[in-house]
Amino acid sequence: MIERGNPVPSVRVKLVDANGIADSTSDAILGTGLVVLFSVPGAFTPTCHVNHLPGFIANQAKLHAAGVTRIVCASVNDQHVMKAWAEASGALGKVDFIADGNAELATALGLAKDFSGSGMGTRYARAAMIIRNGIVDNVFVEDAPGVSASGAPAILMALETANS
């Protein structure tokens, strides 16, 4: 698993943002400024849709005030699903999305998790990272169902601690 001090890997992904859908690489998306990346098992899935993403939307201004230049959500879904989720959740223009349809970035980060038992195949573990200019500052991986360590409030606390 990626650790503090590691550079973000360069993996081909699809970027979904306010400009639409574009081919990109993970290091191009995550490599400049202070970036918060959070990963979810799936777009529109109950915990991701109701508990994880909304916290980052609601705390966008506070995250930016803490110095965050970009908030990014990654999931093992195709770009069309990610765009529909961004639009349906009101996140478009507030959060950028990485569509990692083949779980290549999830695997490169060491966050790939087998959800085959529930019919979902390989997905991301629920997690979050603070990345400064392409280097990982902190990694927060949930060790139980739900959102606590990787939610926006926990990331805000980590940023405040780092800035004090």
Side-chain angles (χ1 to χ4, degrees), residues 51-155:
N51 297 353
H52 210 175
L53 176 59
F56 284 95
I57 296 168
N59 286 288
Q60 174 204 13
K62 290 180 184 176
L63 288 161
H64 287 301
V68 172
T69 55
R70 192 173 207 177
I71 304 166
V72 182
C73 176
S75 185
V76 179
N77 290 104
D78 67 67
Q79 65 272 23
H80 308 292
V81 169
M82 294 299 278
K83 183 172 187 275
W85 189 35
E87 291 171 345
S89 64
L92 204 58
K94 299 173 184 167
V95 175
D96 294 338
F97 293 81
I98 289 176
D100 184 20
N102 294 324
E104 292 171 9
L105 180 57
T107 301
L109 293 170
L111 293 173
K113 186 172 178 180
D114 185 3
F115 281 86
S116 296
S118 57
M120 293 172 45
T122 301
R123 299 291 179 125
Y124 275 90
R126 187 176 309 285
M129 287 180 217
I130 298 171
I131 304 165
R132 292 181 195 270
N133 295 316
I135 305 297
V136 175
D137 252 14
N138 286 300
V139 180
F140 308 89
V141 181
E142 299 291 350
D143 58 5
V147 178
S148 57
S150 67
I155 299 306

Side-chain angles (χ1 to χ4, degrees), residues 10 21 34-36 40-43 51 65 67-68 84 93 96 125 145 163:
S10 180
I21 298 170
L34 180 59
V35 179
V36 171
V40 298
N51 297 353
V68 172
D96 294 338
N163 291 337

